[in-house]
Amino acid sequence: MHIAQFVVTVAGFAAIGWVLWYFLVPAGRGAPPRPPRDGA
Amino acid sequence: MSAAEPRTADGTGPGGDGEARVSQDAARVAGVVKVSFPVAGMTCAACVSRVQRSLAETPGVLDAAVNLATNLATVELERGAVRPGDLVAAIRDAGYDVGTESAQVAVEGLRFAGDVAPLEAAIAAVPGVLAASANRATDTLRVTYVPGLVMMPRLERAVAEAGFTVAAPIAEADPVERERLAREREVRRLAARGAVAAVVAILAMVGSMPLMGVGGTGTADLLVRLVMPLHHALAHAMPWLYEVPAPQLKIGLFVLTLPVVLWAGAQFYVAAWRGFRHRSADMNTLIGVGTGAAMLYSTAATFAPGAFEGAGLPADVYYEAVSTIVALILIGRLLEARAKGRTSAAIGRLLGLRARTARVYRDGVEVEVPAAEVQVGDFISVRPGEKVPVDGVVRSGHSAVDEAMLTGEATPVAKKEGDEVTGATLNTTGAFVFEATRVGRDTVLAQIVRLVEDAQGSRAPVQRLADRIAGVFVPVVVSVAILAFVLWFDFGPQPAAVFATVSFVTVLIIACPCALGLATPTAIMVGTGRGAERGVLIKGGEALEAASRLDVILLDKTGTVTEGKPRVTDLLAPRGPSASAAATPEERAEILAVAAAVERQSEHPLAAAIVREAAALGLEPRDADDFEALEGRGATALLGAHRVAVGSAAFLIQLGVDIGPFTDAVDALAARARTPVLVAVDGAPLGLLGLADPIKAGSVGAVRTLRRMGLEVVLVTGDVRKVAIAVAGETGIDGVESGMLPAGKVQVIRRLQEAGKRVAMVGDGINDAPALAAADVGIAIGTGTDVAVEAADITLLAGDLRAAVTAVELARATMRTIRQNLFWALAYNVVGIPIAAGALYPFAGVLLSPVFASAAMAFSSVAVVTNSLRLRRFAPTFAT
């Protein structure tokens, strides 16, 4: 179980970091390019 | 929706200037255009800030405001710098879509199959048009466009330029009607999906009962505790259900829940995915990830229970939670959509005031035509009890007209030849004929509606806090949910994975940025709408907020505190060589008749007051010859054989008149702020008139209430100090600034502002325009027809100071509601999220169920909208 806890903890904090970076860091500063405009 | 349309507006057309709906405000600033158009798919404050940012980043856009309550984006653009297609692209770039509208156009000249393609191409090239398809069989052209970005005349021109003729003018959908229809569609859609989800939720709940008994999540779940009695009752009533083996029961629940996920709740997942691709997270992200996680966990537990048991985890399912959450959120959105519809009801009510038909004289014959067809210059007959269809001037007949619907003033106003009448007001007893002077979009009512619409779409500065929070809200909540999962997994009791999953889902579900997004706009909509119903037109959220935080209110004297029309208040006749007394009725008539005969030829306002008074007494006008006026002092004339002089005491003394009988009376009048006017015939004093600008009936009560509300009330006037002090004394005003020219009034305001005071100026829109503009809040006191006073933040249709009290009270009530809403929305999340994460578990052993969380979430936004709707019952101190 200890290994599972370790994996979940690491993955969890990595996920938090990624979520905050993906949604909050403005595009252009090390962020992936915005997807191309669709439709219009 | 329209993303899949065959033709788009992107990159087409020379520029969006001519197509834009130019508001009156924007037109003032050369080169700036203001357009409003619907945005589809927004659900919360995060969506609003996302769309707003995307629009603001578009080159050429000066300012963008998005209103969640109306689903409208209002954008200020540099003229010609932005194509409508850029705006559409910006909206779609943010992960949303523009609302579209379709119009069916009858086209003449569509004869050959080859005509269709060029016409379609020409129309599709009009900026703001998303798609066009012509049908030769029916001679029609179907245009899908973004309302607000395309004007109908532009479409007609494009049809003509392509070589065809429009059979009938294209009718633009009424924006209010359009919004109502869109709202109805939304309500129907939500009701159908919510109903399906609710039925499935009940069935799934019943179906899950036996499973809960078989190694459920333990007694920590509040819901499980609550349903325990139900559980026993069910086991008694439907024992066969308990005989179904657990794996089969789970598969049954999975099948039952599928339509909820794939159809009823599909909008959450679609919107969440669309937002995710555009790096935006909103309400849908939370619901989508929350229910999605519960659904995936349950599906895995249903079809691969072995994997769970191998890892020492219980293969529990949460199908009932998924369907209940979706059902509750859909029902919440349904209630919210209904309530949001009511917040804009004021506009509908205003438009409902319009008369449907008008009785117009055409070629000397009275014919009844739809009110929309009345043209300027038409003569219109109005019978007792009928509504005045458009604005105009009475040409014959007389009546009293009830203008309460516009000004809030209950007493009908007398109308005779030459008086203005306003459309939508109600004729009471008499009949009259009037000439139309303003029709359609120019009428007072149409201006009021436009002003209210603009105000309702505006944002208050207080919203900025909510916007800032909303911008980071969803990513932070997702992070908190993940953190809760990790903590429960690492430190929670067994089965840790179950507790971790439940708290992860619950945190996502309970968080509600919608309440934050709705807190301000709904209150502003209801507040400004309620104001409009009482004749108080507020320009927007900023004005509302400023009006709620005032320290000083400056009142112009003439026309604001006083009636602005001098009147004869005193009439004295001589009693011996050095005494005078109030004139007898006979003396009164004689003095006025003589004075009026001279003053009829003068243009002085005091002279007009004397003539009016004489006319009011029904005195026959007499003719005077040899009129001679001395500017600002008086006049003389010959009345028959007698030389009459009317004027100030100094003027008459100069003429050699002995004013002995009136010497004391003249001083006494001046001390009471009356202007003394003497009348002499052949060098002998005949009478003394005291003239004053009477204080309006409501002024004293209004000033008293303003002071009770904690405001410092100051009178500013161009009049002399003596008169100003007398008026201030009579009305209870604290301070006086007299002898002020318009520039002086501005200086007074600046001085107060520099001392840190927030200042409102109440005055008429013309003379006081600079002061109105300089004040933190400019309040224009109108006469019922000056709606669009440019410099004013607030326009009072009733020419009564009591309406200013109503405006301040309404502003305070609205801001109070906004603060309550914001507090509630923040407190709800601040308290709810930790509880959902399990903060209470170590102390009370309580863990919230995701189902509870969804009910709380739905309730929180409904509560905010309902709180705003309470403003509809706002009752001012003065029910004028």
Side-chain angles (χ1 to χ4, degrees):
Chain A
M1 207 55 197
H2 286 302
I3 295 168
Q5 285 179 344
F6 177 75
V7 170
V8 164
T9 308
V10 171
F13 280 98
I16 290 172
W18 183 81
V19 163
L20 294 179
W21 167 79
Y22 185 77
F23 289 111
L24 295 184
V25 176
R29 263 189 276 155
R34 275 170 179 259
R37 290 172 177 180
D38 59 320
Chain B
M1 56 196 326
S2 46
E5 298 287 355
R7 273 174 235 272
T8 74
D10 213 12
T12 55
D17 50 349
E19 292 70 28
R21 187 170 88 180
V22 183
S23 90
Q24 285 192 320
D25 275 351
R28 252 188 316 156
V29 189
V32 177
V33 184
K34 204 169 172 185
V35 296
S36 313
F37 54 92
V39 179
M42 293 190 300
T43 50
C44 62
C47 316
V48 168
S49 60
R50 180 78 44 181
V51 172
Q52 222 160 243
R53 200 180 331 148
S54 183
L55 283 172
E57 282 169 1
T58 307
V61 170
L62 303 173
D63 193 25
V66 175
N67 186 324
L68 181 59
T70 54
N71 291 330
L72 271 184
T74 305
V75 183
E76 275 184 32
L77 316 162
E78 271 173 56
R79 187 174 289 276
V82 186
R83 290 171 309 201
D86 296 341
L87 299 177
V88 175
I91 299 280
R92 291 183 176 164
D93 198 30
Y96 302 89
D97 211 334
V98 287
T100 58
E101 201 43 53
S102 289
Q104 189 97 345
V105 186
V107 177
E108 289 169 11
L110 261 180
R111 260 168 246 122
F112 310 106
D115 289 342
V116 170
L119 175 64
E120 285 178 351
I123 299 302
V126 174
V129 171
L130 297 174
S133 71
N135 186 337
R136 211 159 50 84
T138 53
D139 280 341
T140 53
L141 174 70
R142 189 163 189 78
V143 187
T144 306
Y145 62 97
V146 183
L149 295 184
V150 186
M151 296 300 268
M152 292 306 129
R154 177 75 185 82
L155 276 185
E156 287 168 14
R157 212 162 63 226
V159 172
E161 279 164 8
F164 303 93
T165 316
V166 176
I170 310 171
E172 192 156 17
D174 186 337
V176 174
E177 182 66 10
R178 188 169 68 212
E179 198 200 305
R180 196 182 60 79
L181 287 175
R183 185 94 56 199
E184 266 177 18
R185 261 200 311 274
E186 171 84 354
V187 165
R188 268 201 306 275
R189 200 177 61 88
L190 287 169
R193 285 162 197 241
V196 168
V199 169
V200 170
I202 291 167
L203 293 177
M205 197 80 88
V206 169
S208 311
M209 290 287 180
L211 295 174
M212 287 182 189
V214 196
T217 54
T219 49
D221 189 323
L222 258 180
L223 193 72
V224 174
R225 286 192 200 172
L226 284 174
V227 297
M228 269 309 165
L230 252 177
H231 179 49
H232 296 306
L234 194 71
H236 194 68
M238 299 166 75
W240 53 268
L241 191 66
Y242 285 75
E243 283 155 22
V244 181
Q248 274 85 328
L249 199 55
K250 286 178 187 175
I251 292 173
L253 288 171
F254 169 77
V255 172
L256 198 59
T257 312
L258 265 189
V260 172
V261 175
L262 296 182
W263 180 69
Q267 51 173 325
F268 303 131
Y269 309 107
V270 171
W273 173 243
R274 203 170 53 195
F276 178 81
R277 279 193 312 147
H278 295 284
R279 306 189 70 167
S280 83
D282 58 20
M283 196 59 219
N284 296 305
T285 314
L286 297 176
I287 300 166
V289 174
T291 57
M295 187 70 192
L296 287 179
Y297 188 100
S298 306
T299 309
T302 303
F303 294 102
F308 282 76
E309 278 142 20
L313 298 169
D316 279 346
V317 293
Y318 300 98
Y319 295 118
E320 86 289 353
V322 171
S323 46
T324 313
I325 291 166
V326 170
L328 283 172
I329 291 171
L330 286 173
I331 291 166
R333 285 207 180 160
L334 175 73
L335 295 177
E336 190 184 307
R338 285 223 180 116
K340 270 159 77 178
R342 282 206 295 274
T343 60
S344 56
I347 296 255
R349 266 200 298 279
L350 281 171
L351 286 175
L353 293 174
R354 286 180 300 196
R356 304 264 168 273
T357 58
R359 235 184 285 285
V360 180
Y361 286 98
R362 292 270 158 85
D363 305 319
V365 184
E366 200 181 292
V367 285
E368 192 160 334
V369 301
E373 288 175 17
V374 175
Q375 285 163 6
V376 172
D378 277 347
F379 279 74
I380 299 152
S381 151
V382 182
R383 292 179 190 165
E386 283 183 347
K387 271 185 181 174
V388 179
V390 295
D391 298 358
V393 178
V394 177
R395 292 300 178 215
S396 69
H398 57 85
S399 181
V401 174
D402 181 0
E403 298 186 336
M405 54 292 293
L406 293 183
T407 62
E409 227 157 317
T411 328
V413 182
K415 300 286 180 185
K416 56 180 192 311
E417 239 176 276
D419 285 343
E420 285 193 9
V421 286
T422 314
T425 55
L426 189 68
N427 182 28
T428 56
T429 47
F432 60 89
V433 172
F434 76 99
E435 185 183 347
T437 54
R438 278 181 302 217
V439 299
R441 283 174 62 84
D442 301 324
T443 61
V444 168
L445 185 68
Q447 290 179 50
I448 293 174
V449 168
R450 263 204 305 284
L451 209 67
V452 175
E453 275 175 344
D454 279 357
Q456 295 196 330
S458 71
R459 300 169 72 73
V462 70
Q463 174 74 15
R464 271 184 230 131
L465 170 72
D467 284 348
R468 260 207 301 275
I469 296 170
V472 299
F473 187 87
V474 174
V476 168
V477 168
V478 173
S479 304
V480 170
I482 297 172
L483 186 68
F485 183 92
V486 170
L487 290 178
W488 276 101
F489 194 87
D490 288 354
F491 306 109
Q494 288 305 325
V498 170
F499 280 110
T501 308
V502 167
S503 58
F504 174 77
V505 173
T506 312
V507 167
L508 291 177
I509 296 301
I510 205 165
C512 181
C514 332
L516 271 176
L518 291 168
T520 317
T522 51
I524 288 181
M525 289 182 69
V526 180
T528 51
R530 184 79 182 119
E533 286 172 351
R534 305 218 69 105
V536 175
L537 302 179
I538 300 166
K539 248 185 198 162
E542 211 163 324
L544 205 60
E545 189 168 341
S548 72
R549 298 180 295 137
L550 292 172
D551 299 310
V552 184
I553 187 158
L554 302 181
L555 307 177
D556 175 47
K557 182 181 79 76
T558 313
T560 302
V561 178
T562 65
E563 283 177 2
K565 259 190 185 173
R567 244 175 26 201
V568 177
T569 54
D570 302 77
L571 236 167
L572 295 100
R575 298 281 183 269
S578 60
S580 62
T584 63
E586 295 77 34
E587 288 169 333
R588 211 180 157 82
E590 177 61 14
I591 296 166
L592 276 169
V594 169
V598 176
E599 298 284 41
R600 266 174 63 200
Q601 303 184 44
S602 166
E603 285 168 1
H604 198 276
L606 291 180
I610 293 171
V611 174
R612 262 202 312 276
E613 185 72 16
L617 284 182
L619 301 173
E620 280 298 311
R622 300 184 199 172
D623 284 325
D625 306 313
D626 196 20
F627 174 82
E628 203 180 329
L630 251 107
E631 193 63 48
R633 309 182 68 183
T636 62
L638 263 181
L639 197 61
H642 305 286
R643 169 63 57 182
V644 179
V646 183
S648 67
F651 177 63
L652 267 76
I653 290 168
Q654 195 189 334
L655 291 176
V657 178
D658 171 22
I659 62 158
F662 296 122
T663 316
D664 292 341
V666 164
D667 287 343
L669 284 177
R672 282 170 46 222
R674 306 289 192 264
T675 309
V677 174
L678 285 147
V679 185
V681 178
D682 294 331
L686 176 70
L688 168 65
L689 298 101
L691 284 97
D693 186 0
I695 288 165
K696 282 186 192 172
S699 294
V700 175
V703 169
R704 198 187 313 128
T705 312
L706 286 170
R707 292 187 56 191
R708 210 173 42 225
M709 290 165 77
L711 293 169
E712 187 187 334
V713 186
V714 177
L715 188 72
V716 283
T717 173
D719 216 331
V720 293
R721 187 152 188 86
K722 219 180 212 171
V723 174
I725 287 177
V727 170
E730 270 184 66
T731 48
I733 290 173
D734 305 291
V736 170
E737 297 278 353
S738 57
M740 288 284 152
L741 296 171
K745 292 181 183 175
V746 173
Q747 272 167 11
V748 170
I749 291 169
R750 295 249 184 276
R751 203 177 62 226
L752 286 163
Q753 284 171 334
E754 273 159 27
K757 302 276 179 70
R758 283 166 299 223
V759 186
M761 169 79 203
V762 189
D764 66 69
I766 308 134
N767 298 324
D768 294 321
L772 291 180
D776 295 290
V777 182
I779 303 176
I781 194 153
T783 54
T785 50
D786 309 327
V787 174
V789 179
E790 298 272 340
D793 300 301
I794 297 176
T795 303
L796 310 175
L797 293 179
D800 189 322
L801 203 50
R802 285 178 294 194
V805 177
T806 303
V808 176
E809 285 175 338
L810 182 65
R812 288 187 178 181
T814 307
M815 288 311 294
R816 197 161 50 236
T817 304
I818 290 176
R819 275 193 291 271
Q820 285 164 357
N821 285 350
L822 286 175
F823 174 81
W824 161 252
L826 284 173
Y828 164 81
N829 283 298
V830 165
V831 173
I833 292 173
I835 292 179
L840 286 184
Y841 187 79
F843 314 107
V846 173
L847 187 60
L848 229 49
S849 149
V851 173
F852 262 14
S854 62
M857 206 274 318
F859 171 73
S860 79
S861 46
V862 172
V864 161
V865 180
T866 308
N867 190 40
S868 294
L869 284 174
R870 283 193 318 132
L871 275 173
R872 291 203 304 177
R873 293 201 301 270
F874 162 78
T877 305
F878 298 109
T880 44

